[in-house]
Amino acid sequence: MILIVTEENRSLHERELTAMHRQRKAVFVDRLQWPLAAPGGLEIDAYDRPDSIYLLSEEPRTGMILGSARLLPTVQRHLMSDLFADLCEVSVPRGPTIWEASRFCVNPSLTMRQDRHDQLWQIIAGILEVGLLFGLDQVTFVAARALLPLTLDAGWDVRVLGRSRPDGDDEITAVAAEITPDGLKTVRDRHGIPGPVTRFRMMPDRAVA
């Protein structure tokens, strides 16, 4: 199950968001040694804003967060426009129907490759579902060397935006994926996802005076 967390319902998900930021710190700061701030053991950056939308993969029985990703509107500042514009051969795709996905993170306790890949397929299906819900045309993201072939073969309509370039010991590539019903169906069929994965928890109704 993928929880959709927006500014509207964020107060319902403080526990889950804290777990997400803690996992991001364990993966990006502790394991990958990215030079990121982690106040209080939580990885939080300038793009964790009120307009950020989070996709949180939750194990329904235990409430454990298994994976996560962040979506940002490209009409505002985002990672590709600020830090990775050189990866795009022409220009950074931007517009009201284009969002950026970033900070894909799998719970570090999931050590089996298949479990980690399953989280990626779930998140991609969640991105497509959210994109269709919000009327998006594209989602952009920057993929590391290990992630790139997985995202290119996930089942959605995806294209590389420019040449890859070195990034420390890794290599990164800018990518754009189309948001279409056919793409969602293919992702579900290819990865054995039987139906919708996303859920949105509403705020309780408030009494009207």
Side-chain angles (χ1 to χ4, degrees):
M1 178 173 65
I2 305 291
L3 303 174
I4 305 171
V5 182
T6 68
E7 186 175 13
E8 180 182 358
N9 70 345
R10 195 162 299 179
S11 63
L12 298 176
H13 295 287
E14 292 181 1
R15 177 191 64 82
E16 294 92 343
L17 289 169
T18 297
M20 175 198 72
H21 287 296
R22 186 172 292 115
Q23 289 174 15
R24 280 171 36 176
K25 191 261 186 183
V27 171
F28 300 130
V29 178
D30 298 341
R31 190 176 74 193
L32 297 178
Q33 299 292 299
W34 290 5
L36 303 172
L42 308 176
E43 193 277 303
I44 300 173
D45 70 7
Y47 304 96
D48 291 303
R49 306 187 306 241
D51 60 345
S52 301
I53 294 177
Y54 299 96
L55 302 184
L56 308 180
S57 177
E58 182 183 63
E59 210 292 316
R61 294 171 300 171
T62 65
M64 178 184 291
I65 298 302
L66 302 175
S68 60
R70 176 179 64 194
L71 294 171
L72 282 172
T74 60
V75 293
Q76 306 294 337
R77 293 182 57 188
H78 58 288
L79 281 165
M80 192 176 290
S81 66
D82 288 355
L83 301 178
F84 302 114
D86 61 305
L87 295 174
C88 299
E89 186 174 351
V90 181
S91 60
V92 175
R94 303 186 75 163
T97 60
I98 302 172
W99 286 0
E100 177 188 68
S102 60
R103 285 299 194 269
F104 170 66
C105 180
V106 174
N107 188 321
S109 69
L110 298 182
T111 57
M112 299 295 291
R113 177 179 295 182
Q114 188 58 55
D115 291 339
R116 300 174 67 81
H117 287 182
D118 286 345
Q119 287 306 306
L120 176 61
W121 314 140
Q122 291 280 323
I123 291 291
I124 287 176
I127 288 172
L128 286 164
E129 289 180 22
V130 170
L132 290 170
L133 178 66
F134 281 85
L136 303 185
D137 295 324
Q138 294 182 51
V139 62
T140 62
F141 55 93
V142 174
R145 183 187 292 115
L147 190 62
L148 181 62
L150 298 174
T151 58
L152 294 180
D153 195 41
W156 51 359
D157 184 6
V158 65
R159 71 186 189 280
V160 170
L161 295 174
R163 293 183 179 181
S164 303
R165 71 161 166 83
D167 184 55
D169 295 331
D170 207 340
E171 186 176 77
I172 54 176
T173 307
V175 180
E178 302 296 319
I179 304 294
T180 65
D182 286 346
L184 175 58
K185 182 179 186 304
T186 303
V187 168
R188 287 175 177 168
D189 291 346
R190 184 171 297 183
H191 303 292
I193 299 172
V197 297
T198 51
R199 303 289 186 275
F200 183 82
R201 293 176 180 163
M202 299 290 292
M203 295 290 292
D205 291 337
R206 297 179 180 177
V208 178

